[in-house]
Amino acid sequence: LDEAFHGTLVAATGHRQMARCHQEVTERIRLLRRLDFTETGRITATYQEHAQILRAILRRSADRAINLLSKHIETSKNEVRKISLHKLYSARPHT
């Protein structure tokens, strides 16, 4: 559903080349993006962020939608980084 949300936003621009690029990037980062859905708090936060973005779009508040989308992507990227590092550290043998 997360991929569909982002894909639908890109498709709504009507820019086919951008949609193709987005799909290629999505396929490359799919595994990493899914890490963001391993934490219950992040699942809830992600859907709340999506709802805020969608409300801004429906209100035709482009600047707010862009700001919220940028924050959403940055937050998700940072959370995935933390989750990845934690999983790597946890998998490492400790002496």
Side-chain angles (χ1 to χ4, degrees):
L1 292 174
D2 183 57
E3 283 184 19
F5 176 80
H6 290 270
T8 300
L9 289 181
V10 174
T13 67
H15 194 296
R16 282 186 256 160
Q17 183 61 32
M18 185 185 306
R20 273 192 294 259
C21 288
H22 177 264
Q23 183 60 38
E24 289 174 16
V25 169
T26 295
E27 289 172 12
R28 289 183 183 145
I29 66 170
R30 181 170 287 131
L31 180 62
L32 292 175
R33 274 176 100 176
R34 288 187 179 173
L35 285 175
D36 206 16
F37 287 89
T38 60
E39 306 286 327
T40 304
R42 280 302 305 149
I43 295 168
T44 301
T46 294
Y47 288 123
Q48 288 172 349
E49 292 164 10
H50 284 182
Q52 289 176 332
I53 293 162
L54 192 53
R55 279 193 295 273
I57 291 168
L58 293 173
R59 290 180 181 138
R60 299 187 182 278
S61 179
D63 289 340
R64 177 153 173 74
I66 290 167
N67 184 304
L68 289 168
L69 190 54
S70 296
K71 280 177 51 179
H72 168 64
I73 291 168
E74 190 64 29
T75 298
S76 183
K77 183 174 74 173
N78 290 335
E79 289 298 321
V80 165
R81 182 177 292 127
K82 282 194 278 185
I83 292 165
S84 298
L85 290 173
H86 176 72
K87 288 188 181 294
L88 285 171
Y89 180 77
S90 298
R92 199 176 121 193
H94 300 283
T95 54

